[in-house]
Structures are given as structure tokens and as C-alpha cells.
Amino acid sequence: MNIVVCVKYVPDATADRRFESDNTVDRVGVDGLLSELDEYAVEQALQLKEKAEDPTSVTVTALCVGPEKAVDAVRKALQMGADEGVHVSDEAIAGSDYIATSLVLAKAVEKIKADKGQVDLVMCGMASTDASGSVVPAMLAERLGLPQVTFASVIESQGDQVRIKRDGDTATEVIGGTMPLVMSVTDQTGEARYPSFKGIMAAKKKPMETLALSDIGVDAGEVGLSVAWSEVADTTERPPRTAGEIVKDEDGSGATALTGFLASKKFI
């Protein structure tokens, strides 16, 4: 079985995040890391490998699209236990939206399939921690012509059959599918493992391939900010936090003052 896990390199939420002059997210000049939600996808891929009758027959490949520094996200996945890494890096990709990102990922998966044989499962996190779009897995499934099972909180597999539990606001669904397919997982699937010292050292010897757009058959004119279907028109820094207003209820007027404040902010 071949499993490809799509991972994303995102700005560290605790760092000083900012935008570039063209209003795209700065992914080069800030500290970044593997998206936490993608760690759950890596974890579930590794668990499927470990539960297989012959774990040595299962290959988990971490796939990332991003700038040069994005290779750190792949390295983290390798340290967790993934077998191989693929990093698609090209200056033309900068500013790409979901449409273009799904195209690059799909072409990269197709190249992995051409090089290594059938890709049985493409796994993704439920969303990225920077954009939180949750749409790339569906777009990826459409481009690859594969069925999709999304927002999995519990995963079971037997042979080429997969069954997931999806928790909604009002009900829980159980969905089954036959591989090959695309799957996204939630943060309810279980805590992702920490890389061990052994895993960190082993990751240095694992195969890592860096690809450009030309290597996967994508024209530079199909990606990037110039062809994005949406763009950020303007950004404004968040204003500094101001002191709160204290309402005293010495004469019984506190409720009226509080109601007036909430109404002025259109909370009620």
C-alpha cells in the first residue's frame, strides 16, 4: 500500500506573522512549522501502516508544496515516521489560491504514482491552521478522479475497504469507501506522536525529493497570484487592546448600562 500525506508549512501562530507588500502571507521571513492539523493526518497514516499485516509493504510519503523553508514540514513528518518526502518548490507558486494549490498537489501525486505505482490513499488534515479553508481535499479528489471521505474522527480499514466516522453538529455518520480514495481527518482522531531521538536521526537518511513545476508538468502560468480567483485587497493591523469599561451597580442602573453597551456593539 502507498499512502501520500499532504502536509503544509504554515507561519508559527506564536510568532510575528505579517503580510507581504502584495497582501499575501509572508511565508519566508517568519518562523514556520508543520500545520498542527496535518500532524493528525501523518499520525493516522502511520497507524494504518503499523496495523497492516505486513507494515514493511506500506510506504508513507509526505508531500508538501511551498517555499524552500517548507522542507521543514516534510522533515517533521519524516521524523514522526513517514518513509519518504516530496517537496514541490517553485517561485511561481507564491500567491497561489486553493485552485492552483490543488492542481500542484494533484500533479505531484500523479508523479508519485507514475514513479512508485498505485497510490492507494491520499490523506490530508481537515484544514490548514493558517487559512482554515477545508476545501483542498475535495478539490484534490476531483482532480484525481477519486472518491473522498472527509472529516474523519475514527478510521477503520480492512484490505482495500475504509470506514470512517464523521461527527456533525446534529448527528454522526459512518461512511465507507474503497481505495484508492482521498481522506481528510480531524483533530479528534487522536494525539499525534512526538518525534523520538531515534526518529529524528533516522529521518536524515530517508529519501527526500525536491521538484519544480516543470518536473510535474505544471505551467507557471497556471499558478501564482496573477491567476488566483481571489485576492486580499487590503490589510490593517489589529488595534492595540484598550482598557475595558467598568460598570458599577451602585444605584441599580448596572443592568441598563450593560444592555446599552451590548446594544451599541450590536451584540444584542
Side-chain angles (χ1 to χ4, degrees):
M1 178 190 295
N2 288 322
I3 303 175
V4 175
V5 187
C6 299
V7 298
K8 188 175 183 182
Y9 180 77
V10 298
D12 188 344
T14 63
D16 182 20
R17 293 175 293 177
R18 55 182 179 268
F19 290 92
E20 298 276 17
S21 58
D22 58 4
N23 291 327
T24 58
V25 176
D26 183 1
R27 301 183 183 279
V28 177
V30 299
D31 293 332
L33 40 71
L34 168 60
S35 175
E36 181 182 358
L37 292 173
D38 289 341
E39 290 186 11
Y40 295 99
V42 175
E43 174 63 31
Q44 292 307 307
L46 297 176
Q47 288 194 26
L48 288 174
K49 175 183 175 75
E50 292 165 355
K51 293 174 182 177
E53 291 186 7
D54 180 12
T56 60
S57 68
V58 180
T59 301
V60 176
T61 302
L63 167 63
C64 181
V65 174
E68 184 176 344
K69 291 176 63 177
V71 72
D72 289 345
V74 183
R75 289 198 181 103
K76 175 68 176 293
L78 295 177
Q79 292 168 359
M80 291 174 66
D83 301 295
E84 301 177 2
V86 175
H87 177 208
V88 183
S89 183
D90 198 300
E91 290 184 0
I93 298 174
S96 294
D97 59 1
Y98 299 125
I99 303 293
T101 299
S102 65
L103 170 64
V104 176
L105 285 171
K107 291 296 186 180
V109 170
E110 289 175 355
K111 186 178 190 311
I112 293 172
K113 178 180 178 180
D115 292 345
K116 303 183 182 302
Q118 177 69 36
V119 172
D120 302 281
L121 188 59
V122 179
M123 300 188 69
C124 311
M126 61 182 286
S128 63
T129 54
D130 56 349
S132 301
S134 298
V135 297
V136 169
M139 293 180 175
L140 186 54
E142 176 66 20
R143 290 189 181 278
L144 294 172
L146 297 176
Q148 58 170 315
V149 289
T150 54
F151 296 100
S153 60
V154 176
I155 304 168
E156 297 176 351
S157 66
Q158 184 172 5
D160 63 351
Q161 300 298 304
V162 175
R163 186 170 65 178
I164 70 163
K165 184 174 77 170
R166 178 194 289 162
D167 298 317
D169 294 333
T170 59
T172 295
E173 302 174 311
V174 176
I175 304 171
T178 302
M179 292 188 279
L181 54 77
V182 175
M183 176 192 299
S184 70
V185 305
T186 73
D187 55 357
Q188 301 302 308
T189 50
E191 199 68 31
R193 69 191 66 186
Y194 290 101
S196 63
F197 178 76
K198 181 179 179 181
I200 293 173
M201 298 305 295
K204 298 179 180 180
K205 299 179 181 180
K206 293 179 178 178
M208 168 73 77
E209 185 176 14
T210 301
L211 303 173
L213 288 178
S214 58
D215 296 320
I216 58 176
V218 176
D219 187 274
E222 298 179 274
V223 300
L225 185 60
S226 63
V227 297
W229 288 36
S230 61
E231 64 176 321
V232 177
D234 191 22
T235 63
T236 303
E237 289 190 15
R238 179 184 297 174
R241 180 175 294 181
T242 58
E245 181 179 345
I246 299 176
V247 176
K248 296 183 178 180
D249 193 26
E250 296 176 349
D251 57 359
S253 62
T256 302
L258 179 59
T259 302
F261 171 79
L262 293 175
S264 69
K265 300 298 183 180
K266 298 183 179 181
F267 292 145
I268 58 174

